[in-house]
Amino acid sequence: MTEFLTRLVHGRSQNDNNTGAVNVPIYTSSTYAYETASSKVKYDYSRSGNPTRNYLEEQVADLENGTRGFAFSSGVAAIHAVLAIFRPGDHIIISRQIYGGTFRLIHEYFERWGIETTPVDMRNPSEIEAAVRDNTKAVYFETFSNPLLEVTSVRDVSGVASKHGLLTIVDNTFLTPYLQQPLDLGADIVIHSATKYLSGHSDVIAGVVAVRNEELAERIYFNQNALGGVLSPEDSNLVRRGIQTLGVRMDRHLENAEAVVHFLVESPFVKKVFYPGLEDDPGHEVAGRECRGFGGIVSFEVDDSVDPEKFVNGLELIQLAVSLGAVESLIELPSKMTHAELSEEEQKKAGITPGLVRLSVGIEDAEDIVADLKQALEAASENQGR
Ligand SMILES: Cc1ncc(COP(=O)(O)O)c(C=O)c1O
């Protein structure tokens, strides 16, 4: 059983002869009986190991071609457990464009515990080289950045990292293992906010990690058990179920994103479209080489004649909400929502203008998504008659 869609649906084979259940049961038990006090048991306490969570963890390891997987109570909890393998005095090179919650965790939490960081543009290997110090231990980045969808080459970064003996840590939330498997491109640790595409239905907060080797697995497992931010059995089941339909959902996300991009590029109410699938996008070539598709997130800047707030408020089908990767289309204004904690100056530096819109294209009928964008853009423009 080697084909990817089959692996998504079936995971590892089960041997539940007691009931014949074709899905892994939700094991709610917090503790597990020993036959005798000296018995060797696989499970003893659910923070340390739970069969439902364990199924998801093996599913994730398999899909990322890793040795082991881990499931956490959020994407941020997953990132916490990964970065907690480092010690005070260690230095990590971080991409300048990272998710705000990761930025906060690194700069307002880990730096307090003595982890040093240098922000760089990961698309530029010479910047990474220049940032390497004696105490550098890792590089950390997102494959497609948020919200401008800048593309970083996992091969290029991991090439520089391995030359200096550094770990390559990749947040692959935007692409999922269906579109890219960073471990195969040289990364050592992959992280996902499973809240997004892996679960896919905006009904769970979760994070997962997959690692290249057993030594890293032991370090992450220690943190998972010691910090305790594990995913519940119920939520593990939701993510497991979401993963079974990842392939068909992603295919539809990609198809719809293409239709939306086609409309936006032609629209007189749109100034600029950010999507690595566009041939003139700076990340097009790298994404074409390293990914099996360009993802379901599209960002764009509305024309100066359009009031961005009026535009998003005027949408009828597309939900005005943060988060992404769900079956329903979600839209947001980064300057006012996901990136509101950045000052005006910081937003400007990051390329986040008041007219920038991030759209997570859902799996509805593409015509309905496009029609909603069209009516709201027209209604929000001073030049409605154009
Ligand atoms: C790229 C990325 N990584 C990590 C996270 C954090 O995940 P969670 O919200 O599940 O904690 C997010 C959340 O938006 C994200 O977009």
Side-chain angles (χ1 to χ4, degrees), residues 26-46:
I26 300 173
Y27 287 89
T28 57
S29 195
S30 58
T31 191
Y32 303 82
Y34 286 54
E35 212 164 290
T36 66
S38 51
S39 296
K40 288 267 173 278
V41 291
K42 181 165 182 196
Y43 297 107
D44 67 345
Y45 187 62
S46 270

Side-chain angles (χ1 to χ4, degrees), residues 357-379:
V357 179
R358 186 189 75 190
L359 171 62
S360 171
V361 182
I363 65 167
E364 304 95 337
D365 283 296
E367 307 85 80
D368 288 333
I369 303 171
V370 167
D372 198 25
L373 291 169
K374 185 166 185 292
Q375 68 75 20
L377 280 168
E378 282 171 6

Side-chain angles (χ1 to χ4, degrees), residues 74-76 79 99 102 142 146 171 173-174 193 195-196 205-206 324:
S74 69
V76 163
I79 299 166
Y99 167 65
T102 309
E142 294 164 13
N146 180 11
D171 180 331
T173 298
F174 273 42
S193 167
T195 310
K196 313 296 182 331
I205 296 283
L324 53 96

